[in-house]
Amino acid sequence: KHQALSWARAPAACLNFNCMLILLPVCRNLLTLLRGSIQCCSRTAARQLDRNLTFHKLVAYMIAFHTAVHIVAHLFNFEYFMDAQLNRNSSLLPFILSEIGTGDNASFLNPIRSNETNPTIVMFTTIAGLTGVAITLALILIITSSMEVIRRSYFEVFWYTHHLFVIFFIGLVFHGFGRIVRGQTAASLKTNIPDVCADQFEDWGTNGSNCAVPEFAGNPPMTWKWVVGPMILYVCERLVRIYRSHQKVVITKVVMHPSKTLELQMKRKGFHMEVGQYVFIQCPSVSRLEWHPFTLTSAPEEDYFSAHIRIVGDWTQALYEACVGDKTEPQEAWKLPRLAIDGPFGTASEDVFRYEVVMLVGAGIGVTPFASILKSVWYKRIQNNQDVFTKKIYFYWLCPETEAFEWFADLLQSLEGQMTEKGMTDFLSYNIYLTRWKETEAAHFRVHHEAENDPITGLKQKTLYGKPNWDNEFTNIESKHPGTKAGVFLCGPPALGKSLEKQCLSHSEADVKFIFNKENF
Amino acid sequence: MGKIEWAMWANEQALASGLILLTGGIVGVAGQFRGWQFAAYAVAAGVFVCLLEYPRSKRSKGTSVERSGQYCFTVCVKAFGPLTRNYYVRAFLHAAICVPGGFMLATVLGCVCLGIASLIYLVAAIRGEHWEPILPRKEVRKPITESIKNPPQNPPPRPPAEIRRKRVDDLEGAAYDNPISVTDNE
């Protein structure tokens, strides 16, 4: 009694479920919609939606695992089916079962219909076999191009290869259409009861026997019932993205910052953002298919929205040339390239204002979402004179080198100036940490130690060197703000995230509760 | 898709194919399928491909990420010199290895995947890429880093407080010469 078929059908059922789930976490617009509506009920639930990519990957691993089990089981399965055809001995049940339906080719059980073939040929001549091969290949290619190394270095390969999922889903739906999995028909079950008749197979259909020859039919395909819903949702998601991409986006200002950072200030009708959100930007004149994510660095209170784009690869370089080129005099507005924006999409930063005390930690380029937060907090504080719930912000910026500082340092400088004007210098306390430095720079710092403004940033707050002592920082904040809930927001490497999370847990004792939030893209 | 190094993806694909070939071979042998000799071959071929593909090449641009424990494999692969350095050789080698896998259902998947990897390697070879071993960097900055590890125990010597205080009325006279010259190595 070989169980190979059951071993194949079990993962197939799991695969149906997983393939249904895998499309859902990547419907960004749907998620933002859900996030907005859930937030009224439960903020923790809403925050789970931030981990959509993690979920997508987990489901993908499950699909890979179940596919492997399914294939191995079918290998055994087909071997047994082949055995049944090859051992042409009437005293063997498998052979008798294989002979059923040879005449009418409809009521058969064994999908391998003759002994003149082999499993490989059968695989390539059945719908299930062909689709199975196609979708497994698609899956393998998707997985190898999604390895972290490839994804981080050659995003285009990852993105284009990932679209093989279209082939995957089409093949998946048609995988069962050949009705290759057979079961005894209901009518036949009345005339041939398996428990009773299985041992009397030599007498089936003969006069005097209680058992007729059993008849089998193919099971109808089931997969489409599982995946059709998410497929429709995903199609809607792509349509929404296409619609958004056709809305007119106007570039109002282009600013070139030092260390190859390009700032684009844009406007779009009906665009509304929250702090710390991100958008996908497409530039048709650069590439019709590529959409790249960038954090919004402007505050919702401003009348434009902006993104600071670092020029690191092909696409950003081409974008820079389209917007700026090497013209030194200002560009005519109509010469600027047309852009399309998809988004904004929400992240955890929106929760910043719900905390009385906030710790913001940005590592390197991860400081970008905090530009939006700091600006917005400032606007709220002074312009509308609202009583902002947030009373104190501690901002930590960890950076390996001085170069990437400039545009953010400018922002901090202007904030510093405005705060001094309004006499609100202790609202924001910021600390900048240089984690790596060159010998020559260190000498320079030593000499200018006494200067009023920091030699690197020009800010009154001095730059610190090395990594912050988080234990001290947390203890410090704890002692200054007893009995409050402090939110800790990080945008940076996972290692830092783990250590901060540990600190949050260890310092969340009697009075102060530290709640950890992490950004990721 | 300008600056992609195709070899990186070919390497991932080939490693995956090696594993798939190996698994198919093990299943074929363990289940004693018809044609298990092909499965036995697939086990050997799978292991060989995995060993060959495990060490990642050094990227011509950007940082290379090693696979854990790949150093010994790097040394072995490097020992074959031009045979492993050249991607044309690898492309044809993989194409040749994958053919016997096509004769048995259990190993057919490994065969096709390895064939695809071979094609990607061919593209890489045409674009002039080649395999470079990732070797540990020699430490040149050792003496300097050691001096930074020990922070100075005493504060730097400074002139007495009266001179240090900012004399805004006499900026010229307030300037003083630092008694210790500032150089690279203390």
Side-chain angles (χ1 to χ4, degrees):
Chain A
K1 303 242 160 35
H2 298 298
Q3 297 148 330
L5 189 55
S6 318
W7 275 93
R9 294 188 66 189
C14 296
L15 277 171
N16 282 337
F17 181 62
N18 281 304
C19 292
M20 173 184 81
L21 288 181
I22 193 134
L23 282 179
L24 297 175
V26 287
C27 294
R28 276 193 295 270
N29 288 296
L30 171 68
L31 288 179
T32 314
L33 196 69
L34 264 179
R35 199 171 194 279
S37 37
I38 290 189
Q39 252 182 351
C40 353
C41 314
S42 159
R43 216 180 318 142
T44 354
R47 275 173 43 203
Q48 295 315 311
L49 291 175
D50 294 331
R51 311 185 65 191
N52 57 334
L53 282 182
T54 315
F55 186 63
H56 182 79
K57 286 183 211 171
L58 280 176
V59 177
Y61 294 145
M62 282 288 101
I63 289 182
F65 172 71
H66 286 304
T67 305
V69 178
H70 182 80
I71 293 179
V72 171
H74 269 313
L75 287 176
F76 280 94
N77 198 22
F78 270 68
E79 191 67 17
Y80 299 143
F81 277 141
M82 199 65 227
D83 278 344
Q85 282 286 5
L86 288 177
N87 298 335
R88 303 190 83 84
N89 186 335
S90 308
S91 59
L92 293 174
L93 175 60
F95 175 61
I96 298 286
L97 284 172
S98 306
E99 286 288 278
I100 295 174
T102 324
D104 58 7
N105 230 9
S107 55
F108 60 87
L109 170 63
N110 190 335
I112 303 184
R113 303 304 313 135
S114 90
N115 61 341
E116 314 233 318
T117 177
N118 70 49
T120 315
I121 296 180
V122 170
M123 183 182 75
F124 281 109
T125 51
T126 49
I127 294 182
L130 275 174
T131 50
V133 171
I135 66 184
T136 311
L137 278 179
L139 183 67
I140 293 175
L141 284 172
I142 289 177
I143 291 178
T144 54
S145 63
S146 308
M147 305 300 311
E148 179 129 11
V149 174
I150 310 280
R151 206 171 70 231
R152 297 238 176 254
S153 321
Y154 316 114
F155 189 80
E156 290 89 353
V157 168
F158 157 69
W159 184 237
Y160 292 140
T161 318
H162 229 70
H163 282 79
L164 284 171
F165 78 86
V166 174
I167 297 185
F168 181 82
F169 273 89
I170 294 178
L172 189 68
V173 168
F174 283 105
H175 194 54
F177 268 56
R179 298 176 191 237
I180 199 173
V181 176
R182 321 280 298 179
Q184 202 167 353
T185 60
S188 170
L189 277 169
K190 297 194 185 108
T191 55
N192 180 321
I193 304 165
D195 288 339
V196 174
C197 299
D199 297 325
Q200 303 172 11
F201 59 87
E202 286 171 14
D203 301 327
W204 286 341
T206 53
N207 288 341
S209 152
N210 295 336
C211 305
V213 178
E215 289 177 359
F216 299 89
N219 294 335
M222 299 283 293
T223 307
W224 67 270
K225 296 180 194 168
W226 292 86
V227 295
V228 74
M231 280 168 81
I232 291 180
L233 280 176
Y234 190 72
V235 168
C236 290
E237 160 80 22
R238 295 300 282 254
L239 287 175
V240 167
R241 291 190 204 174
I242 292 179
Y243 166 68
R244 287 229 182 134
S245 72
H246 282 261
Q247 290 182 294
K248 194 158 160 215
V249 175
V250 172
I251 302 181
T252 53
K253 196 166 170 192
V254 175
V255 183
M256 202 53 214
H257 291 278
S259 53
K260 298 168 80 158
T261 308
L262 174 71
E263 179 187 348
L264 291 179
Q265 294 183 4
M266 301 160 273
K267 284 197 201 203
R268 188 182 82 180
K269 190 165 156 203
F271 186 84
H272 173 73
M273 64 170 279
E274 304 281 336
V275 284
Q277 289 196 303
Y278 64 98
V279 290
F280 276 76
I281 301 185
Q282 181 216 32
C283 187
S285 59
V286 169
S287 164
R288 303 224 63 205
L289 292 174
E290 293 179 40
W291 292 76
H292 293 268
F294 295 98
T295 316
L296 291 168
T297 46
S298 56
E301 289 82 5
E302 294 172 318
D303 62 350
Y304 61 86
F305 64 94
S306 71
H308 283 69
I309 301 170
R310 270 184 74 204
I311 302 174
V312 284
D314 286 350
W315 187 85
T316 39
Q317 178 68 28
L319 183 69
Y320 161 71
E321 274 155 31
C323 292
V324 177
D326 31 35
K327 304 179 180 50
T328 40
E329 67 288 335
Q331 276 262 47
E332 300 284 329
W334 58 267
K335 285 206 194 119
L336 288 171
R338 197 168 66 92
L339 289 185
I341 300 283
D342 189 20
F345 299 108
T347 59
S349 311
E350 295 170 9
D351 294 337
V352 165
F353 303 117
R354 297 178 206 246
Y355 294 96
E356 212 181 303
V357 175
V358 172
M359 254 179 98
L360 303 175
V361 181
I365 197 68
V367 78
T368 331
F370 298 125
S372 166
I373 295 177
L374 288 176
K375 278 200 244 187
S376 179
V377 161
W378 183 244
Y379 281 119
K380 283 190 164 62
R381 184 89 185 191
I382 57 159
Q383 285 180 356
N384 304 342
N385 242 340
Q386 286 167 2
D387 247 306
V388 192
F389 187 62
T390 314
K391 295 275 179 288
K392 176 81 184 184
I393 299 185
Y394 293 92
F395 179 62
Y396 297 88
W397 189 13
L398 283 62
C399 205
E401 53 203 359
T402 57
E403 285 183 345
F405 263 108
E406 295 85 357
W407 70 267
F408 198 80
D410 283 344
L411 167 67
L412 285 180
Q413 216 169 6
S414 92
L415 276 180
E416 191 179 40
Q418 292 180 51
M419 282 196 292
T420 327
E421 254 178 71
K422 308 262 173 175
M424 293 198 213
T425 35
D426 30 291
F427 173 61
L428 169 68
S429 137
Y430 53 88
N431 305 280
I432 305 172
Y433 288 84
L434 257 197
T435 51
R436 240 192 277 157
W437 59 88
K438 299 197 195 57
E439 267 303 303
T440 42
E441 292 171 349
H444 182 77
F445 307 151
R446 270 201 294 259
V447 173
H448 288 94
H449 185 77
E450 293 289 309
E452 198 179 306
N453 285 8
D454 186 86
I456 308 170
T457 57
L459 294 164
K460 290 213 172 27
Q461 187 98 238
K462 291 295 166 59
T463 310
L464 300 149
Y465 303 99
K467 298 207 172 105
N469 185 330
W470 291 116
D471 213 19
N472 282 354
E473 302 292 332
F474 272 84
T475 320
N476 202 12
I477 296 177
E478 216 179 336
S479 54
K480 287 207 188 119
H481 301 273
T484 48
K485 248 192 191 178
V488 178
F489 291 82
L490 164 72
C491 187
L496 184 56
K498 287 199 176 68
S499 80
L500 278 181
E501 210 169 354
K502 267 193 247 166
Q503 293 285 349
C504 283
L505 290 172
S506 64
H507 286 267
S508 284
E509 277 135 22
D511 297 336
V512 189
K513 285 213 170 10
F514 288 97
I515 298 165
F516 180 69
N517 300 270
K518 186 181 186 304
E519 290 266 328
N520 65 332
F521 291 104
Chain B
M1 280 203 254
K3 298 181 183 59
I4 171 175
E5 285 177 48
W6 291 99
M8 298 221 64
W9 185 23
N11 173 264
E12 299 288 333
Q13 180 71 14
L15 189 61
S17 316
L19 289 170
I20 294 172
L21 203 56
L22 179 62
T23 314
I26 291 177
V27 166
V29 168
Q32 292 172 327
F33 291 174
R34 257 175 301 283
W36 63 270
Q37 293 90 340
F38 288 110
Y41 163 81
V43 171
V47 170
F48 172 71
V49 168
C50 283
L51 288 176
L52 175 63
E53 296 293 338
Y54 190 71
R56 274 213 188 101
S57 166
K58 191 156 158 207
R59 287 168 62 174
S60 53
K61 273 169 81 171
T63 42
S64 318
V65 180
E66 288 198 319
R67 293 204 175 97
S68 36
Q70 83 166 37
Y71 181 61
C72 12
F73 297 98
T74 310
V75 171
C76 298
V77 174
K78 181 165 164 266
F80 285 90
L83 275 182
T84 45
R85 207 179 118 89
N86 188 310
Y87 282 145
Y88 280 110
V89 172
R90 274 204 207 195
F92 290 125
L93 184 68
H94 287 322
I97 290 181
C98 82
V99 167
F103 288 97
M104 193 186 152
L105 185 61
T107 52
V108 128
L109 190 63
C111 158
V112 179
C113 288
L114 196 56
I116 294 179
S118 156
L119 284 172
I120 309 180
Y121 263 128
L122 193 61
V123 173
I126 291 175
R127 295 206 48 208
E129 297 172 23
H130 57 264
W131 189 83
E132 275 288 333
I134 301 181
L135 298 165
R137 263 186 326 159
K138 298 183 219 353
E139 291 295 328
V140 264
R141 298 181 55 202
K142 251 202 160 61
I144 299 177
T145 47
E146 270 177 4
S147 74
I148 287 183
K149 277 200 192 104
N150 301 321
Q153 308 296 9
N154 301 314
R158 300 187 207 169
E162 317 142 5
I163 303 186
R164 269 191 289 130
R165 201 173 302 126
K166 280 192 182 20
R167 285 156 45 181
V168 277
D169 45 334
D170 180 16
L171 284 172
E172 296 284 313
Y176 60 84
D177 275 322
N178 203 327
I180 300 229
S181 65
V182 179
T183 54
D184 270 11
N185 297 327
E186 286 229 76

